[in-house]
Amino acid sequence: MANQNLNSGNPKVNLAYRLRKSKEEMRYQIISFSMMLFLTFIAFGAVGVGFSGWFTVPLIMLLASVQVIFQLFYFMHMSHKGHEAPTIFLFTGLLIGLITIWAFMKIVWW
Amino acid sequence: MQTEEKMTFETWPALPEKATLEGKNKFLGFWLFLGGETVLFASLFATYLALKDKVPDNTHALAKDLYDLPLTFVATMLLLTSSLTSVYAIYQMKNFNHRKMMLWLGVTVALGLSFLCLEIYEFNHYVTEYNHKFTGSAFGSAFYTLVGFHGAHVIFGLVWIIALMVRNAKRGLNLYNAPKFYLASLYWHFIDVVWVFIFTVVYLMGMVG
Amino acid sequence: MKRLAKWRLMSLLTALAFILSGCGEPYLSALRPAGEVAEKQYWLMKLSTGIMVFVILVVVVIFIIVLFRFRRKSDDEIPKQVEGNHMMEIIWTVIPIFLLLILAVPTVTATFDLADVSPMDKKNKDGTRDVLVVNVRASLYWWEFEYPDQKIVTSQELVVPTDEKVYFNLKGSDVKHSFWIPPVGGKMDTNTDTINKMWLVFDSKKAEEAGNVFYGKCAELCGPSHALMDFKVKAVSRADFDKWVKDMQAVKDPAKPATADAQAGQEIFNNSCIGCHAVTPANTTPEAARQGPNLTNFGERDYVGGILKNDEKNLKNWIKEPDKYKPGSTMPGFGHLSEEQLDQVAAYLMGLKVQE
Amino acid sequence: MSTYAQKRGFGAVLWDYLTTVDHKKIGILYLLAGGFFFILGGLEAMFIRIQLIKPDNNFVSAGSFNEIMTMHGTTMIFLAAMPLLFGFMNAIVPLQIGARDVAFPFVNALGFWLFFFGGLFLNLSWFFGGAPDAGWTSYASLAIHSGGHGVDFYILGLQISGFGTLMAGINFLVTIINMRAPGMTYMRLPLFTWTTFVASALILFAFPPLTVGLTLLMFDRMFGANFFNVAAGGNTVIYEHLFWIFGHPEVYILILPAFGIFSEIFSIFSRKRLFGYSSMVFATVLIGFLGFMVWAHHMFTTGLGPIANAIFAVATMAIAVPTGIKIFNWLFTMWGGSIKFTTPMYWAVAFIPSFIMGGVTGIMLASAPMDYQYHDTYFVVAHFHYVIVGGVVFALIAGTHLYWPKIFGTMLSETLGKIEFWLFFIGFHLTFFIQHFLGLMGMPRRIFTFLPGQGLATGNLISSIGAFFMAAGVIVLLTNIVRTTVRNEKVGNDPWEDGRTLEWAISSPPPFYNFKQLPLVRGLDALWLEKMEGKKGMIPAEPIGDIHMPNSSFVPVVISFGFFVAAFGAMYQMEHKWMLSVLILGLLISFGAMIFRSVKDDHGYHIHKEDLIDDVDKGVKA
Ligand code: HEA
Ligand code: HEA
Ligand SMILES: [Cu+2]
């Protein structure tokens, strides 16, 4: 396996490009972080205010899922190329996990 | 092709964590491991949900008696922010800035430690104030096992990051240690992912009742 | 011709299969169904066996043809490299799906059928039910049968009326066991956490063939003597059943011993045994206090501990060393009793009868 | 670094194997350890059958019977069948995909040693006050109730070896995804590689629930938790679910690689490419996936209610469809082929009717209302031995014959192979066919004895006689192995002459660096394609260059040994406080070794081009 630098011929151009790219990405990271903060606020707020459980539980579950998507796709770069296998395996794991949780909530006590 | 070869900003690749075959393998292997961890935590969540509020008699505290919104909120903020700081660390790693990367890792560790202290305080509080013990009820066992497993992951993550920092303090970045830093930060993010579900499913839903 | 030999073996085995079916003892074999539940299950078994034999035949026919026609004849033959065939792929996907549907439909209906215990919940004004309900409680190596509406308790021998639905509440008191009367119907676990419910019908004709006694088994590993955790089922007519219930209910106080020996035996029993074994059938003692089988009608039971023929010798041996006959039994041994004392206890126990 | 051609003493060989990170040697280690445990499990099976040879027998006591039965199941599944399969995977899969090495040589070694020490720990229970006796499923209520330390041995032993398995699984996954030779696309992977891939994915997702289940059991038994203590709000059904969420995929972890081995055999000895290759791949993935949706079919009588039972019944039946696809594809691989009846082919051919009989009884079990009758009887015992022995064990023996030359460079005797086949095959059907009827006639499983006069005596006698035939077969196999090893007649690259995949393009046994030059793969059955064009071997995809190799390491043994020590501490700290220090000592050894490993850089070494050119085409013989 050669250890190429994924660069074309001209190092100067590439460097500038890379720096700009990663700056840009960092901006996305900040945005997703603020979104995550925001979602967390809403979740805690909804519970703090004391809406009915029928409303709150689905809401906070939804917020948590969105937040996790942010984590996975931006913080953990799952949106990038080269993450096909990780994506498949993580979501398979998630699916199996969710089935487990569903089963435990439905058929452990009856 | 030497992985420990000295690199410069100019020769530093765009994806240092995957620039070598070893890096690529570790990267993939670690992600797969996280796939397995997902099932591990799902099983623990499932157990917790099945045993939530299952206590021998009504002298035992239930979820809604225990949890405390501000405390959970602070813990969440700490961990969430530490996730961002580790993103910064990796950002600096990609920029081949060893010093700044170390700095951000340091901040991450500090935040992680504060989270841990808070958790220890919380557990202690439950035991002394509410007599909510690991051995007291099925609910207690399930609660401490789920949250404690997460806590153990935090500890492991901290030890890992600290060990990496100490080991590489003087060495600078190279293609041998770049994947290691990257994986440690992935791990740290994953801990945060799990925490998102813990604060939602255990704490918030516990308070909703 | 080795292949041929193998094929003969296979057909021999299949023939054996047919000879064996409809075999086994009538009091123990699921192949001799004695009641609605077992019959439903037996019918399903026949249906599925039919399907499965068909599947096996199809495969074996292709198999035989292949083995005979395509053996290597010369060392340099190179067969055509075939990638596959869509038509055939579709056939062997669709036909199995079809066969499975034939099995799945009755499976689902029967599943719901067998789970229908709604009559159990229909209570009359006084809290009793029109249907017979039995609470089965399994403990390490023995069974207790409580008739909540009749307010009586018995152990080791379940008594039921024939030709009607009998409903069961199942529960385990220490570890998990499983309640199974093979000829009468499939099993259900006695969990320690929750109560399971099921129903069975005991067919009068088949019961007669089986000598009015069916064998019951524990079907879930529960410790060393799991194999010995048997019980017996006396299936009697409704009239006989009612009479038995009456006789049982009539026992308010422990039966009076008939002989002097038995009298002495009663004394020993009251000193040593009564803490675990009741000799009255009322179900007023809490479950936790019923630590051993209820012995009200012990003299009428066919077996000691569910496994040894009920005679004085076996009874005395059992009392001396229960652990020898049922390893891990929770009953302590009474080897310290003298031979005479043992005789007395045995006389007392053998005299415990409720029906004349 | 070219020390490989020298003769060495026993000590050096031992040290070599203790520290090896070479996947081929680790494969041999797996075969040795797995073979040992198979004999052990087989002996336990013989004890079971001897005890049940007649009514009221007292060859062993009730308590010992439960220990033997439990250890038989646990040993066979975790310590024999799976490791033996890992042995073949390690030895063959990297060669099949044309890889220089596995992705994580160090982790691979660690995986083996964890498995080994876990298995050793489990079996030491015999000498430390009794083996586990709650069945290989170790259901919670009984496992909590069981006295002594038997169940603790089970929990900790499986926990340790489970980590090893998980590591092996991840290693195979990454190897197959990342290390394929140029041109080896996913749809050109040999089927054994595909099934290894899917089985490894199942390991990745199935072992965590087992880990959790065992952890809960451990907390309850050793640290006073209340997960399964009903009085404190616990629930034992949780354990049943966790166990089977693992347990059902586990049986596919066993059978899928077996399917892979048979796919290779059918194709090789019919001289024909696998019929319907892409649907075979699809079926493999589908079986793996469905395997996670059906676990509750082991719990039909737990009382989950008709809705759950009906759903799981129908889901379970669905698995017949992809399995059937495979069966018919195998048949049509042979159809129109040129079948040569070698020993591996004998086993493969016998596998088809045997496995189908087990498979169709599986479908019968899947029908919930019928299962109320079958469950926990010898009918189930018959079902799973038909699929496990008729599927997995047949594949293991077939694989032993097929791959023996590749792994050891010598050829097992074909004559003895056929004798062992007939003994085992007849014994197998004799033992297990009758058990279907024993079950239906009212014989529960896991009983240490049965009483006379219940109509069960003849069947059990026949069954026990069959077991002796199987033992005889195994003994012939062992003789064959010893004889072949003593004679030591070396063979060439492709001893079966009809090899189709890459592993047959390399010398037997392969040099420690595998392919000198990575081969260029131009299609499915890469070697066959070249042969058909009249070439002798593969076209290289690269010029000869330096080869990077990992360093050997003793650290895996140390890490595993640490956990082994810690397990004793964890177990005995209940009655002796000072054992806590043993627990800590063990963990210190393990974690110390891990830290040593991560702090000490290990970059491996290079074999230089010049050294490689030196032994061009002489082959590398040890
Ligand atoms: C290698 C191991 C292996 C394999 C492959 C299987 C395969 C299957 N098993 Fe088995 N099973 C076990 C190992 C295995 N099993 C073990 C160890 C236990 C007991 C555990 C314990 O309690 O200790 C068990 C128990 C078990 C039970 C629980 C029984 C009970 O305890 O009450 C059930 C119930 O549904 C079941 C079902 C099936 C099914 C449907 C398949 C299917 O995958 C089979 C599919 C195959 C075929 C059907 C044949 C080929 C298909 C065709 C030719 C197509 C046409 C066919 C039809 C239309 C029917 N198994
Ligand atoms: C891979 C899995 C596997 C394999 C291969 C086997 C193989 C065999 N099993 Fe296994 N069995 C299980 C997995 C397996 N079993 C499981 C999971 C259970 C359930 C346990 C439980 O209920 O918890 C079980 C239970 C089980 C029972 C039921 C016990 C009970 O419920 O009470 C029986 C009874 O007949 C039995 C018999 C056999 C026999 C005769 C073989 C034979 O095929 C074995 C053949 C091998 C040999 C005979 C080798 C002997 C070798 C020699 C004699 C050579 C000695 C020479 C030297 C030392 C040099 N097994
Ligand atoms: Cu299964």
Side-chain angles (χ1 to χ4, degrees):
Chain A
M1 257 311 132
N3 128 47
Q4 345 86 324
N5 288 344
L6 308 174
N7 295 342
S8 65
N10 188 337
K12 278 268 144 45
V13 178
N14 276 314
L15 266 179
Y17 172 75
R18 244 173 57 203
L19 277 177
R20 208 179 57 242
K21 252 328 235 194
S22 69
K23 270 250 167 52
E24 197 174 301
E25 203 195 314
M26 202 54 225
R27 228 186 28 248
Y28 281 122
Q29 310 274 33
I30 302 279
I31 294 173
S32 40
F33 179 68
S34 4
M35 289 296 292
M36 278 147 64
L37 281 186
F38 178 63
L39 297 176
T40 314
F41 277 122
I42 301 183
F44 277 85
V47 175
V49 173
F51 292 126
S52 123
W54 288 110
F55 172 73
T56 323
V57 171
L59 176 74
I60 58 180
M61 284 311 296
L62 183 74
L63 295 178
S65 319
V66 175
Q67 188 170 156
V68 163
I69 299 283
F70 274 118
Q71 282 273 359
L72 289 173
F73 281 86
Y74 293 100
F75 280 18
M76 297 167 84
H77 312 290
M78 224 157 81
S79 54
H80 286 195
K81 264 207 331 277
H83 284 70
E84 295 76 15
T87 313
I88 293 173
F89 277 84
L90 197 86
F91 282 105
T92 312
L94 199 63
L95 177 69
I96 291 164
L98 288 177
I99 293 172
T100 307
I101 293 173
W102 169 83
F104 274 51
M105 292 173 69
K106 291 289 168 202
I107 53 176
V108 164
W109 302 91
W110 58 87
Chain B
M1 214 170 63
Q2 295 306 53
T3 48
E4 65 272 47
E5 173 187 328
K6 275 268 173 289
M7 306 282 284
T8 66
F9 185 50
E10 278 71 31
T11 56
W12 191 239
L15 296 174
E17 73 276 9
K18 289 205 277 186
T20 60
L21 181 60
E22 275 100 87
K24 263 205 202 90
N25 287 345
K26 281 191 180 153
F27 171 84
L28 182 60
F30 196 75
W31 265 105
L32 300 186
F33 170 72
L34 291 184
E37 287 255 285
T38 308
V39 186
L40 185 92
F41 274 105
S43 309
L44 289 168
F45 271 106
T47 309
Y48 171 80
L49 286 171
L51 294 178
K52 181 182 169 198
D53 287 350
K54 299 288 191 260
V55 291
D57 53 59
N58 54 20
T59 62
H60 289 257
L62 299 183
K64 63 178 184 334
D65 311 323
L66 289 171
Y67 307 141
D68 175 49
L69 205 55
L71 187 82
T72 316
F73 186 73
V74 176
T76 305
M77 283 303 128
L78 286 174
L79 213 55
L80 201 60
T81 314
S82 78
S83 208
L84 181 74
T85 56
S86 75
V87 167
Y88 267 110
I90 295 306
Y91 172 66
Q92 297 301 353
M93 188 268 273
K94 295 208 173 176
N95 287 347
F96 200 64
N97 191 332
H98 181 246
R99 203 182 53 81
K100 280 202 177 145
M101 178 190 78
M102 286 297 195
L103 205 72
W104 282 115
L105 285 179
V107 179
T108 307
V109 168
L111 288 167
L113 278 174
S114 335
F115 171 87
L116 209 60
C117 294
L118 215 56
E119 187 150 88
I120 292 169
Y121 162 77
E122 182 202 352
F123 284 5
N124 185 44
H125 182 69
Y126 291 161
V127 172
T128 50
E129 295 291 306
Y130 295 94
N131 198 24
H132 179 62
K133 288 197 202 129
F134 178 67
T135 51
S137 63
F139 173 45
S141 305
F143 169 80
Y144 287 110
T145 304
L146 170 58
V147 182
F149 244 74
H150 176 264
H153 275 68
V154 173
I155 295 175
F156 188 81
L158 287 174
V159 171
W160 186 4
I161 297 179
I162 293 170
L164 276 180
M165 287 172 70
V166 172
R167 176 69 183 107
N168 294 299
K170 298 242 166 55
R171 297 209 302 179
L173 280 163
N174 57 36
L175 291 180
Y176 182 68
N177 58 25
K180 298 189 178 197
F181 285 112
Y182 189 86
L183 296 192
S185 96
L186 270 189
Y187 188 71
W188 196 254
H189 291 307
F190 184 77
I191 290 172
D192 200 29
V193 168
V194 174
W195 180 255
V196 170
F197 283 111
I198 292 191
F199 86 67
T200 304
V201 173
V202 176
Y203 291 97
L204 293 186
M205 271 165 62
M207 281 182 264
V208 172
Chain C
M1 288 297 95
K2 281 176 196 158
R3 297 293 115 186
L4 199 63
K6 195 168 113 203
W7 168 232
R8 279 222 193 92
L9 187 79
M10 292 274 296
S11 54
L12 209 80
L13 289 173
T14 331
L16 198 68
F18 285 110
I19 298 165
L20 272 166
S21 60
C23 201
E25 304 295 340
Y27 46 81
L28 186 62
S29 173
L31 296 172
R32 321 235 348 215
E36 193 179 331
V37 173
E39 265 154 24
K40 271 192 203 313
Q41 288 161 337
Y42 190 58
W43 184 83
L44 271 171
M45 285 181 203
K46 285 192 289 191
L47 172 73
S48 60
T49 310
I51 297 175
M52 299 315 160
V53 168
F54 172 74
V55 169
I56 292 177
L57 278 182
V58 170
V59 172
V60 166
V61 166
I62 304 176
F63 181 78
I64 301 284
I65 297 177
V66 166
L67 293 192
F68 279 101
R69 264 185 60 190
F70 301 106
R71 354 195 61 190
R72 184 167 303 177
K73 276 144 208 130
S74 97
D75 251 352
D76 23 60
E77 63 186 17
I78 300 294
K80 188 156 162 270
Q81 304 290 308
V82 191
E83 261 188 49
N85 182 320
H86 284 295
M87 194 56 217
M88 271 156 58
E89 305 259 1
I90 291 170
I91 291 177
W92 63 59
T93 311
V94 172
I95 293 182
I97 291 181
F98 183 70
L99 293 175
L100 291 174
L101 279 179
I102 298 181
L103 184 60
V105 173
T107 292
V108 173
T109 31
T111 306
F112 281 91
D113 245 16
L114 297 185
D116 178 18
V117 289
S118 50
M120 280 175 100
D121 306 325
K122 284 204 204 80
K123 294 207 174 166
N124 299 326
K125 285 204 191 61
D126 60 348
T128 61
R129 285 161 284 205
D130 291 334
V131 296
L132 177 64
V133 175
V134 183
N135 294 345
V136 176
R137 190 165 68 97
S139 308
L140 280 168
Y141 321 131
W142 61 278
W143 298 85
E144 177 180 273
F145 306 105
E146 175 186 0
Y147 299 73
D149 295 342
Q150 288 71 20
K151 303 203 166 23
I152 54 175
V153 177
T154 184
S155 298
Q156 303 293 33
E157 289 190 7
L158 170 67
V159 182
V160 283
T162 50
D163 298 332
E164 64 178 86
K165 284 191 179 177
V166 182
Y167 292 83
F168 295 91
N169 283 315
L170 308 169
K171 167 175 181 183
S173 59
D174 29 42
V175 303
K176 185 185 174 98
H177 307 270
S178 191
F179 174 76
W180 187 33
I181 311 167
V184 182
K187 62 191 72 59
M188 190 80 144
D189 295 353
T190 60
N191 294 328
T192 50
D193 328 75
T194 39
I195 290 179
N196 274 332
K197 296 175 184 198
M198 74 187 287
W199 61 271
L200 291 172
V201 175
F202 300 79
D203 183 89
S204 55
K205 269 222 206 60
K206 295 291 166 85
E208 214 168 297
E209 275 173 41
N212 285 317
V213 176
F214 294 111
Y215 284 22
K217 299 255 170 197
C218 171
E220 177 71 47
L221 180 64
C222 54
S225 284
H226 160 60
L228 304 173
M229 193 171 154
D230 288 3
F231 60 97
K232 301 290 173 299
V233 184
K234 288 196 167 144
V236 296
S237 70
R238 183 74 208 188
D240 288 350
F241 177 74
D242 286 340
K243 186 162 170 307
W244 176 78
V245 170
K246 272 236 169 51
D247 289 341
M248 284 292 275
Q249 283 169 336
V251 182
K252 299 285 184 229
D253 303 306
K256 289 269 164 324
T259 61
D261 257 3
Q263 181 109 39
Q266 183 176 28
E267 224 157 89
I268 301 166
F269 186 89
N270 285 347
N271 286 335
S272 313
C273 318
I274 203 126
C276 299
H277 297 283
V279 280
T280 51
N283 65 348
T284 43
T285 358
E287 264 175 20
R290 302 185 217 143
Q291 290 183 11
N294 184 301
L295 300 177
T296 305
N297 58 347
F298 180 82
E300 284 156 5
R301 293 190 191 150
D302 295 338
Y303 289 87
V304 185
I307 44 168
L308 303 170
K309 227 130 212 51
N310 194 356
D311 56 37
E312 300 227 350
K313 187 166 138 275
N314 280 338
L315 177 58
K316 278 159 55 188
N317 282 340
W318 168 264
I319 295 172
K320 267 195 287 194
E321 295 174 282
D323 209 54
K324 182 168 160 201
Y325 299 95
K326 271 194 184 174
S329 164
T330 50
M331 172 165 161
F334 289 86
H336 53 275
L337 295 181
S338 69
E339 199 63 17
E340 192 195 351
Q341 286 173 312
L342 282 170
D343 279 333
Q344 290 164 342
V345 175
Y348 171 64
L349 287 174
M350 298 303 266
L352 291 175
K353 295 186 178 168
V354 299
Q355 291 180 303
E356 53 291 337
Chain D
M1 270 297 172
S2 37
T3 50
Y4 47 87
Q6 293 153 18
K7 270 238 175 288
R8 291 158 308 164
F10 176 73
V13 174
L14 185 70
W15 180 248
D16 187 22
Y17 274 89
L18 283 174
T19 58
T20 187
V21 292
D22 177 357
H23 67 90
K24 297 172 290 300
K25 287 192 182 138
I26 292 174
I28 294 175
L29 285 175
Y30 267 118
L31 291 180
L32 279 175
F36 170 74
F37 285 125
F38 178 76
I39 299 292
L40 210 61
L43 281 172
E44 281 151 1
M46 293 311 294
F47 290 158
I48 294 177
R49 282 321 322 166
I50 294 173
Q51 165 67 13
L52 294 176
I53 201 164
K54 64 173 206 243
D56 263 341
N57 201 3
N58 48 21
F59 178 69
V60 294
S61 73
S64 327
F65 182 88
N66 286 357
E67 296 176 354
I68 292 170
M69 174 268 295
T70 302
M71 286 300 281
H72 163 67
T74 315
T75 304
M76 280 297 198
I77 300 260
F78 291 98
L79 309 180
M82 234 184 341
L84 285 169
L85 288 169
F86 282 177
F88 291 120
M89 292 177 185
N90 260 307
I92 303 301
V93 166
L95 301 177
Q96 277 198 330
I97 61 174
R100 223 7 83 66
D101 201 345
V102 294
F104 306 113
F106 177 86
V107 172
N108 199 18
L110 181 57
F112 169 78
W113 288 109
L114 282 172
F115 142 69
F116 181 76
F117 277 104
L120 192 66
F121 182 78
L122 185 56
N123 274 285
L124 283 180
S125 61
W126 291 114
F127 308 104
F128 287 86
D133 59 356
W136 84 286
T137 50
S138 216
Y139 273 12
S141 66
L142 181 59
I144 300 292
H145 191 270
S146 165
H149 281 300
V151 175
D152 303 330
F153 275 104
Y154 170 93
I155 295 169
L156 295 164
L158 288 192
Q159 202 74 290
I160 295 172
S161 73
F163 287 130
T165 309
L166 191 66
M167 287 177 190
I170 292 180
N171 178 38
F172 286 128
L173 285 171
V174 179
T175 304
I176 296 171
I177 295 177
N178 274 359
M179 311 283 282
R180 284 165 288 135
M184 182 59 93
T185 59
Y186 280 106
M187 290 316 268
R188 288 175 184 173
L189 291 180
L191 222 75
F192 183 47
T193 301
W194 255 114
T195 52
T196 299
F197 183 77
V198 176
S200 303
L202 294 185
I203 289 176
L204 178 63
F205 297 127
F207 270 73
L210 177 70
T211 307
V212 171
L214 293 175
T215 305
L216 304 189
L217 214 50
M218 174 171 84
F219 283 174
D220 262 24
R221 275 186 68 100
M222 295 174 222
F223 301 101
N226 287 306
F227 290 102
F228 308 123
N229 178 356
V230 178
N235 187 310
T236 57
V237 180
I238 289 174
Y239 180 85
E240 290 181 31
H241 279 295
L242 287 173
F243 186 85
W244 289 118
I245 290 173
F246 148 79
H248 189 81
E250 166 69 18
V251 305
Y252 294 123
I253 294 170
L254 296 177
I255 200 69
L256 287 179
F259 285 173
I261 291 177
F262 286 131
S263 300
E264 304 288 325
I265 293 176
F266 283 125
S267 171
I268 291 174
F269 296 108
S270 307
R271 278 197 179 160
K272 214 165 139 259
R273 68 174 268 160
L274 201 61
F275 191 87
Y277 171 83
S278 37
S279 68
M280 286 298 254
V281 172
F282 171 73
T284 308
V285 177
L286 191 63
I287 293 175
F289 183 75
L290 286 176
F292 278 100
M293 314 292 148
V294 302
W295 78 87
H297 66 216
H298 296 271
M299 300 166 64
F300 282 147
T301 65
T302 302
L304 304 175
I307 300 174
N309 278 5
I311 293 174
F312 279 104
V314 175
T316 304
M317 290 181 191
I319 297 187
V321 178
T323 318
I325 291 178
K326 292 193 151 243
I327 300 273
F328 289 109
N329 276 325
W330 285 319
L331 286 175
F332 281 87
T333 301
M334 290 190 281
W335 188 285
S338 161
I339 304 174
K340 185 173 177 190
F341 286 100
T342 56
T343 305
M345 194 62 171
Y346 263 55
W347 289 100
V349 161
F351 148 80
I352 288 190
S354 309
F355 178 79
I356 288 185
M357 279 165 70
V360 296
T361 54
I363 304 299
M364 294 169 77
L365 291 168
S367 170
M370 273 194 275
D371 185 65
Y372 301 160
Q373 281 288 20
Y374 301 137
H375 178 67
D376 264 339
T377 67
Y378 263 73
F379 191 89
V380 176
V381 175
H383 155 67
F384 68 75
H385 284 94
Y386 258 88
V387 278
I388 291 189
V389 180
V392 184
V393 175
F394 279 22
L396 289 171
I397 305 181
T400 306
H401 280 271
L402 178 70
Y403 289 126
W404 192 269
K406 188 47 63 188
I407 299 174
F408 296 100
T410 54
M411 198 84 170
L412 289 175
S413 151
E414 284 283 287
T415 323
L416 284 179
K418 282 165 192 170
I419 295 173
E420 109 215 353
F421 167 81
W422 284 111
L423 285 171
F424 198 92
F425 179 78
I426 292 170
F428 160 69
H429 284 282
L430 215 53
T431 307
F432 296 115
F433 188 75
I434 196 93
Q435 290 186 354
H436 293 110
F437 295 94
L438 285 173
L440 289 170
M441 280 152 57
M443 181 167 170
R445 62 191 278 205
R446 295 169 167 177
I447 54 172
F448 80 96
T449 190
F450 53 98
L451 301 177
Q454 302 196 345
L456 305 174
T458 324
N460 272 302
L461 176 64
I462 296 177
S463 181
S464 295
I465 293 174
F468 282 102
F469 275 88
M470 273 193 279
V474 174
I475 289 172
V476 178
L477 172 65
L478 294 177
T479 321
N480 197 349
I481 288 174
V482 172
R483 202 184 81 126
T484 307
T485 310
V486 172
R487 289 199 175 179
N488 200 18
E489 290 162 11
K490 292 294 176 192
V491 293
N493 291 4
D494 184 10
W496 298 107
E497 289 162 13
D498 289 325
R500 308 172 69 84
T501 41
L502 285 179
E503 74 269 31
W504 304 110
I506 197 168
S507 62
S508 313
F512 67 98
Y513 47 79
N514 292 2
F515 296 91
K516 197 175 333 168
Q517 295 161 282
L518 291 184
L520 179 67
V521 176
R522 300 194 298 154
L524 183 65
D525 292 337
L527 178 62
W528 177 261
L529 291 182
E530 305 298 337
K531 280 203 244 176
M532 285 301 103
E533 291 182 9
K535 305 204 185 68
K536 275 244 175 59
M538 299 300 301
I539 310 168
E542 53 172 22
I544 291 190
D546 289 0
I547 296 179
H548 180 236
M549 296 297 294
N551 283 327
S552 304
S553 170
F554 189 55
V555 177
V557 178
V558 179
I559 295 179
S560 312
F561 178 71
F563 284 123
F564 175 78
V565 173
F568 276 105
M571 197 166 58
Y572 287 112
Q573 51 82 25
M574 284 184 282
E575 53 258 53
H576 311 289
K577 273 276 161 297
W578 64 269
M579 286 301 278
L580 214 55
S581 55
V582 175
L583 171 63
I584 294 168
L585 175 75
L587 292 179
L588 280 180
I589 297 177
S590 292
F591 287 108
M594 284 185 214
I595 289 174
F596 171 77
R597 162 77 186 171
S598 48
V599 167
K600 196 179 144 295
D601 288 355
D602 183 356
H603 298 291
Y605 65 94
H606 284 86
I607 311 172
H608 295 291
K609 202 152 77 178
E610 302 73 49
D611 293 335
L612 285 171
I613 292 172
D614 275 353
D615 48 58
V616 180
D617 288 333
K618 271 184 285 180
V620 182
K621 289 181 184 153

